[in-house]
Amino acid sequence: MNPTILIVDDDIQVVKQLMWAFHDQFNVVHAMTPQEIDLCVTHQHPIAALIDMHLQPTLQSAATGLNHVRHLHSMHPELLIIAISVSQNPNLPTLALDVGAAMFLHKPFTSDQLRDALSRLA
């Protein structure tokens, strides 16, 4: 069975693209709410989580994404967390790393960039 990656992103096109790009290597699961995220981590045991920084209800700021990273890191410190965002805020990568992300990727990123990130973090 392929290892699982959790995607937390409100852009369904990004989710579909990642599912398609990695279907041969990973089981890709998607969650949006804190409850869904916790259920996925508990039952699917992902090796990594990609978390978008700009999510409902705080689309204009990274507060929700940063809270998800903080929560996941505190509950599952072994989980590799990759923060993702289209934001050009130069402080956001540092903020994400400070709350528990292992890496930050700017959207759009390629499948190869994500594979490289996962291999470097593993």
Side-chain angles (χ1 to χ4, degrees):
M1 178 181 245
N2 289 337
T4 298
I5 296 177
L6 169 62
I7 309 294
V8 180
D9 198 317
D10 55 357
D11 185 338
I12 199 66
Q13 294 303 341
V14 169
V15 175
K16 286 180 180 180
Q17 179 184 11
L18 291 169
M19 286 181 168
W20 182 83
F22 292 103
H23 75 279
D24 58 336
Q25 291 179 294
F26 299 101
N27 174 35
V28 180
V29 295
H30 178 240
M32 284 300 305
T33 67
Q35 296 81 8
E36 290 173 342
I37 293 168
D38 286 340
L39 283 172
C40 281
V41 172
T42 301
H43 297 290
Q44 301 288 329
H45 308 289
I47 61 165
L50 277 73
I51 302 179
D52 187 22
M53 294 292 93
H54 294 271
L55 299 166
Q56 294 288 348
T58 61
L59 282 176
Q60 300 307 315
S61 80
T64 299
L66 291 169
N67 284 337
H68 287 327
V69 171
R70 185 180 295 109
H71 172 76
L72 271 179
H73 182 68
S74 70
M75 299 301 290
H76 305 279
E78 74 290 351
L79 183 64
L80 299 173
I81 300 171
I82 301 173
I84 58 176
S85 181
V86 70
S87 173
Q88 295 303 312
N89 177 344
N91 298 320
L92 188 53
T94 301
L95 291 171
L97 296 174
D98 286 349
V99 297
M103 179 175 283
F104 187 94
L105 287 177
H106 288 280
K107 289 182 186 178
F109 50 84
T110 66
S111 298
D112 287 339
Q113 287 173 310
L114 182 55
R115 277 189 188 88
D116 182 54
L118 290 168
S119 69
R120 283 189 283 144
L121 294 175

